[in-house]
Amino acid sequence: MNAPLPSLLSANPDVEAKPARRVIPIASAKPMGHNRTQKKRIAFQIAFFTLFILAPVFDILRYDLAAGHAWLLGMEWRLGMDDFLAGRIGALEAGANVMLRLFVPIVVGAAAFLWVSWKWGRLYCGWLCPHFSVVETINKLMQKASGKPSVWVKEPLPPWKADGTPWRADARWWLVVVPAAVFFAFLWAVVFLTYLLPPAEIYGNLFGGELTRNQTIFLTAGTAVLSIEFLFARHLFCRYACAVGLFQSLAWMGNRKAMVVGFQRKRAADCANCLPDRQSACDAVCPMRLTPRNIKRLMFTCTQCAQCVEACEQSQRDNPQGPLLQWVSNEAARQNEAGFRSGKER
């Protein structure tokens, strides 16, 4: 990361030197290639979504209600309470088993998860979370259908891509939006059920048309609720209701040197006309409907997806000064907040 520029001293030694203006140490952006980061991020999302679906199938992680124990990495994971109830072990050994097999793994895993969030923010949300993958997919489909990524957005997005090429909405995409939301909702309901009951039983009953009454009720209710959520409250859930996202954001906010999207404020005028009609490319691409050029506390739910960074890179591709947005961390992240004027969050 580039250090702040040194102070410029007067050429005349008899004249007292004036303190130089504080320069925010944001490094010049390196060429990343068109959507290279997004392609990498999508690959991570697809891989983790696949793992989310297959984890119960291969007993990588699930809890079996029928058997009364969990599975982890293909092995049975028991707390040892059966031995205690059968009188084979005492209370002290049973307590130690619960501590070592349940609480210690949870605490260690949570600590590692929060440490990552403390340094890099909501990386899990933006790069791995299966729910956020669905959020982005339906956002893009709905944008193609209506010009807006959500039914709650009041004004359509600019009819320009970040590179300046025009695009327009086509209502025929609604024929894809609704089925896609219902499909993802049904898929999620099925996967959730396989985390609780033997996957072979669930998939066997599903494809054989022999679901039990309780399984049918669960899948019907789950599909209905998730369809409504995917259609009407996708990013609202991520912003206001997701506990995993909340704790990541709280950890991130506690570290003033954590990775954040840095903005070169002295070049703010370049943002007013990077798209035709004096609109900004970065404002249109955030899936959480944030304003990327804002102070950190108003970027509380930023998922570090870098879509704003790459939109800025594309819109400023012919500018010899490069883009105005990029990831910064450490002292550059701390200095990035200096002198920021709070903008209105969308």
Side-chain angles (χ1 to χ4, degrees), residues 159-176:
W160 310 93
K161 297 180 181 179
D163 59 7
T165 57
W167 70 273
R168 64 178 183 177
D170 186 339
R172 289 175 294 182
W173 277 97
W174 282 111
L175 299 175
V176 179

Side-chain angles (χ1 to χ4, degrees), residues 3 34 47 69 97 104 122 128 139 145 148 195 200 202 252 255 305 340:
H34 180 67
H69 63 79
N97 287 341
V104 170
R122 293 176 67 161
L128 298 177
N139 277 3
K148 302 185 296 182
Y195 275 90
I202 300 303
W252 181 58
N255 180 11
C305 69
F340 242 127

Side-chain angles (χ1 to χ4, degrees), residues 318-334:
D318 297 326
N319 189 330
Q321 298 184 71
L324 295 86
L325 296 178
Q326 70 176 89
W327 275 329
V328 294
S329 57
N330 299 319
E331 186 59 28
R334 181 191 293 270

Side-chain angles (χ1 to χ4, degrees), residues 237-249:
F237 174 84
C238 295
R239 290 183 66 173
Y240 303 115
C242 179
V244 175
L246 173 64
F247 283 109
Q248 288 180 90
S249 291

Side-chain angles (χ1 to χ4, degrees), residues 19-138:
R21 294 176 61 187
R22 196 175 192 181
V23 179
I24 298 176
I26 298 180
S28 299
K30 298 180 181 179
M32 298 168 60
H34 180 67
N35 282 339
R36 191 179 74 180
T37 299
Q38 295 310 309
K39 291 177 180 178
K40 183 186 298 184
R41 189 173 69 90
I42 291 172
F44 274 98
Q45 288 179 318
I46 292 174
F48 197 81
F49 199 94
T50 303
L51 178 62
F52 166 68
I53 295 173
L54 296 181
V57 175
F58 294 101
D59 293 330
I60 297 174
L61 176 65
R62 70 182 180 91
Y63 184 83
D64 194 327
L65 291 175
H69 63 79
W71 290 84
L72 180 65
L73 301 178
M75 299 178 291
E76 294 184 6
W77 188 263
R78 300 177 183 271
L79 298 181
M81 296 304 295
D82 293 340
D83 292 336
F84 172 70
L85 295 175
R88 290 189 290 270
I89 60 175
L92 184 62
E93 186 176 354
N97 287 341
V98 172
M99 181 65 67
L100 293 175
R101 299 179 187 181
L102 180 62
F103 291 107
V104 170
I106 289 177
V107 170
V108 172
F113 185 75
L114 291 176
W115 180 80
V116 172
S117 305
W118 185 78
K119 286 184 65 69
W120 296 293
R122 293 176 67 161
L123 280 183
Y124 171 77
C125 293
W127 288 69
L128 298 177
C129 178
H131 181 272
F132 195 71
S133 301
V134 176
V135 169
E136 291 192 275
T137 300
I138 299 179

